Amino acid sequence: MSARAPAWPAQNEAVPLPDVWRRRFRHPGCLILAVSAWLATVANLPLWLAMRELGLFQQVGGGVFAVAFALIIALVLVLLLSLLAWRWTLKPVLALLLMASAPVAHFMLAYHVVIDTSMIINALQTNTSEVRDLLSLKLAAVLLLLGALPCLTLWRWPVDHGRWPRRIAHNLLQAGAALLALLALVLVSFSPLASTMRNHKELRYLVNPLNAVYALGYLASQPLRHTNTALLPLGLDARAAQPAAARPPLLVLVLGETGRSGNFGINGYSRDTTPELARQDVASFREVRSCGTSTAASVPCMFSGLGREGFDARTHSSEGLLDVIQHAGLAVLWLDNQSGCKGTCDRVPNFSTTGLAHPQLCPGGECFDGIMLEGLDQRIAALPAERRARGLVVVLHQMGSHGPAYHLRSPAAFKRFGPECADNDLQACSRSALVDAYDNSIAYTDHFLSSTINWLKKNQAAYDPAMVYVADHGESLGENKLYLHGMPYMIAPDVQKQVPWITWTSAGFAQRTAVTTACLRERADRPVSHDNYFHSVLGLLGIQTRVYQRALDVYAPCAIRPADEVAGKPVPAVAARVAGFATGTSLIVKRGSNPYPTVVNSY
């Protein structure tokens, strides 16, 4: 005898609790409301703490505004999720949001960072070493409490999706109701909402997980905004002027990582973090602004020649600085001790040192920057001889002062300041210990740069060598409770945008270009930015091309240009400097066969 399904209780009978659950809470909308409420409240703890620190809750109606703000976030989530409330998509999408919101909340709480497109790019381009630096017990606890446990509850929640025609109608009705409620709530709270978002732009990057969803959507739509997806050539007309009987130039471009200009002793820092550079004949620009606040933003920008605003507004991809140098016939080599060159070295010989084994320079599987100088002569010898005869450019991409594990960036012999912070949870350290760890990493960068200069000095018989060190971005070390980097540029503090720019030239290089330390030191406090980098490197190498803009070349005021003509007559370097650069006037300079005159301004 087959079992019969139990009859549903009569109208006046008590309904068992499990049946109440089935009837009232199996609808997908209930699950969406529950998850949206959780995300809008608990997962947005960093947002509510930030608003409290800004004093927004103490204002008249602050509590009501906070409730309205939370409801707005929840309604936006309901609206979006209602369109995904299908049998095979609802729970996976909800689980993904819950698991994504947990680490986002942790990093915003732990380091006071915000989530925007640049930060998402950093996360997508990170490597295992950088991920390892970010692991902690706090992160594990947050992932468990804010991610895993809610996901377990979500997966055990019974849902009755019903037939698809009815499901379509319910989804549309739910999305429509959420949209109407959202519009009404925004209209009612428009004045305080608009004022808050206008005065505190950083809050929009704290809305979890909508900040990450928006950033991912923006990145996914980039191919649609770039009308030309092909890589456009750049500087095909480039050629290098070679002075008679001169040795070819050897220029080392050290691409620094997470360098704060204010923590370099040669820039006036109270601590002597750069004693070795101080003994070398170097010049340092002290007012330098970066192109971005992260490696992923700054490196492609500074090598593009477009400048920060032009790079952000670009609609197509094009070749960069290293391509132009190769077009001029010089040899190029990129050595990377970081997480990659972000596309800037894709078309030149390149090598990663991160996987090398060395008992002193690579303890624990991660290499100090000195590893890039090991075997460098052999790597250069493998480049085409005909190109090396015209000149050589070597890029050394540092691990530098990459955080949060600053204590791992310096060997024991360079830990001059202490006791240093040895915890990845930076808030667990005192600020003095955190600065000690960071300054020790600068002390090792000082040694690495000095070692690079000494290596260049050994090559003076074959080349005229020089070195340019520029960091990609700065760093926050607890100022205003901010840590690390990657803040949106318009709201980022200056310490994330002020970077060092250090130049060393050999006697031979100075003789061929007149770029001397004395001349550069006279201009040490002039404003400079990553916008100048592309054109300054081309100018140092004497590369003539239409894409070069001498007005953006920071070395131009000090440089000899024997082939330059002013009013059709050759002008000696000193006379040119007196006639134009030193007086702050402009000169129209015709460079070689370039038919396009270039306006030269003193900067």
Side-chain angles (χ1 to χ4, degrees):
M1 185 175 180
S2 60
R4 298 177 57 189
W8 190 256
Q11 184 175 0
N12 295 328
E13 294 183 27
V15 180
L17 183 58
D19 292 331
V20 171
W21 180 276
R22 291 191 187 96
R23 294 185 64 186
R24 296 183 180 179
F25 299 107
R26 290 176 66 104
H27 192 282
C30 297
L31 184 57
I32 290 175
L33 288 172
V35 172
S36 298
W38 173 271
L39 293 173
T41 54
V42 179
N44 269 287
L45 180 60
L47 172 65
W48 310 128
L49 292 177
M51 293 178 67
R52 186 185 69 177
E53 291 177 1
L54 293 171
L56 298 178
F57 292 162
Q58 284 69 47
Q59 298 178 359
V60 177
V64 176
F65 172 71
V67 172
F69 199 6
L71 287 173
I72 288 174
I73 297 171
L75 287 170
V76 172
L77 289 168
V78 170
L79 173 60
L80 296 176
L81 294 172
S82 295
L83 303 177
L84 299 171
W86 309 99
R87 182 182 303 276
W88 305 111
T89 59
L90 179 60
K91 284 191 176 181
V93 169
L94 294 178
L96 181 62
L97 286 180
L98 288 169
M99 290 305 300
S101 66
V104 167
H106 166 75
F107 291 122
M108 290 193 297
L109 280 173
Y111 303 115
H112 283 224
V113 299
V114 299
I115 306 300
D116 66 340
T117 305
S118 179
M119 191 64 72
I120 293 296
I121 293 175
N122 292 335
L124 294 175
Q125 295 182 351
T126 193
N127 58 22
T128 55
S129 175
E130 293 176 346
V131 171
R132 186 172 60 247
D133 291 345
L134 295 171
L135 298 180
S136 66
L137 291 177
K138 281 188 177 180
L139 174 59
V142 171
L143 289 176
L144 176 65
L145 296 176
L146 293 188
L149 292 180
C151 280
L152 179 62
T153 304
L154 162 73
W155 222 254
R156 293 172 59 88
W157 190 303
V159 177
D160 183 10
H161 289 278
R163 296 182 180 275
W164 69 266
R166 188 177 182 182
R167 181 79 275 122
I168 292 177
H170 281 203
N171 289 356
L172 292 177
L173 286 174
Q174 187 167 277
L179 179 60
L180 291 176
L182 178 62
L183 292 175
L185 194 57
V186 169
L187 288 174
V188 170
S189 58
F190 181 79
S191 180
L193 182 66
S195 176
T196 299
M197 293 295 104
R198 182 174 59 252
N199 296 328
H200 306 287
K201 294 181 176 65
E202 67 275 15
L203 294 179
R204 70 185 68 179
Y205 302 106
L206 294 175
V207 180
N208 189 18
L210 294 176
N211 47 7
V213 171
Y214 174 82
L216 284 170
Y218 184 87
L219 288 176
S221 67
Q222 276 190 343
L224 300 177
R225 296 192 306 277
H226 289 188
T227 57
N228 190 337
T229 57
L231 184 70
L232 300 183
L234 183 70
L236 294 178
D237 64 329
R239 65 182 184 88
Q242 183 72 12
R247 292 179 293 269
L250 166 56
L251 178 61
V252 171
L253 302 175
V254 181
L255 181 55
E257 168 64 34
T258 315
R260 285 168 55 118
S261 179
N263 287 64
F264 277 65
I266 58 174
N267 287 341
Y269 187 39
S270 57
R271 280 179 163 174
D272 188 13
T273 55
T274 55
E276 295 189 50
L277 281 175
R279 291 191 291 270
Q280 302 280 9
D281 192 23
V282 300
S284 179
F285 295 121
R286 292 188 285 265
E287 297 294 332
V288 185
R289 307 284 282 190
S290 66
C291 196
T293 61
S294 68
T295 304
S298 285
V299 173
C301 175
M302 62 194 291
F303 279 80
S304 72
L306 297 173
R308 185 173 66 85
E309 294 183 0
F311 187 78
D312 290 341
R314 73 194 187 284
T315 58
H316 60 268
S317 299
S318 66
E319 294 179 336
L321 173 62
L322 302 185
D323 298 288
V324 178
I325 295 173
Q326 282 200 143
H327 294 329
L330 280 68
V332 179
L333 175 65
W334 180 294
L335 293 181
D336 205 289
N337 197 39
Q338 249 278 355
S339 59
C341 65
K342 315 307 177 186
T344 57
C345 67
D346 289 353
R347 294 165 299 280
V348 303
N350 60 85
F351 180 80
S352 175
T353 60
T354 57
L356 296 180
H358 192 285
Q360 287 79 40
L361 293 174
C362 303
E366 184 175 292
C367 295
F368 295 115
D369 289 324
I371 193 66
M372 290 187 285
L373 298 179
E374 294 290 311
L376 181 54
D377 294 297
Q378 290 79 7
R379 300 189 198 284
I380 290 174
L383 299 174
E386 66 275 11
R387 285 186 171 272
R388 286 187 281 119
R390 299 188 187 99
L392 172 63
V393 175
V394 178
V395 184
L396 305 178
H397 188 193
Q398 280 188 284
M399 176 59 78
S401 302
H402 194 284
Y406 306 116
H407 64 287
L408 298 179
R409 308 299 171 235
S410 57
F414 295 90
K415 296 188 182 298
R416 303 168 187 164
F417 312 104
E420 68 174 4
C421 172
D423 197 322
N424 293 353
D425 183 6
L426 301 184
Q427 293 192 28
C429 299
S430 67
R431 187 167 188 276
S432 60
L434 177 59
V435 173
D436 287 342
Y438 181 84
D439 285 349
N440 286 333
S441 73
I442 299 299
Y444 181 66
T445 289
D446 168 64
H447 172 72
F448 172 68
L449 294 178
S450 182
S451 299
T452 302
I453 293 173
N454 291 335
W455 175 84
L456 287 168
K457 290 178 179 178
K458 295 177 181 179
N459 284 274
Q460 292 185 95
Y463 296 96
D464 288 332
M467 184 198 75
V468 175
Y469 164 79
V470 183
D472 57 355
H473 55 77
E475 187 86 330
S476 286
L477 296 176
E479 298 92 350
N480 298 317
K481 298 183 179 179
L482 291 177
Y483 299 89
L484 303 180
H485 53 267
M487 291 285 286
Y489 200 88
M490 64 179 177
I491 62 173
D494 286 343
V495 290
Q496 292 190 24
K497 296 183 285 190
Q498 292 177 337
V499 296
W501 183 321
I502 299 169
T503 307
W504 174 83
T505 59
S506 65
F509 198 93
Q511 184 176 3
R512 69 182 287 145
T513 63
V515 177
T516 64
T517 302
C519 180
L520 294 178
R521 283 175 176 170
E522 293 176 359
R523 316 187 71 81
D525 293 318
R526 302 293 182 93
V528 179
S529 77
H530 278 172
D531 290 11
N532 301 105
Y533 188 76
F534 176 96
H535 306 280
S536 300
V537 171
L538 292 180
L540 276 180
L541 294 169
I543 292 178
Q544 299 176 359
T545 170
R546 296 181 185 183
V547 299
Y548 167 74
Q549 297 182 45
R550 191 166 180 179
L552 293 176
D553 180 354
V554 298
Y555 300 111
C558 297
I560 287 178
R561 293 290 184 261
D564 287 349
E565 298 177 0
V566 178
K569 298 179 180 180
V571 176
V574 175
R577 200 172 302 145
V578 172
F581 302 125
T583 60
T585 58
S586 299
L587 302 177
I588 300 297
V589 177
K590 182 180 180 182
R591 291 181 48 81
S593 60
N594 185 353
Y596 296 91
T598 303
V599 179
V600 182
N601 298 309
S602 65
Y603 64 100

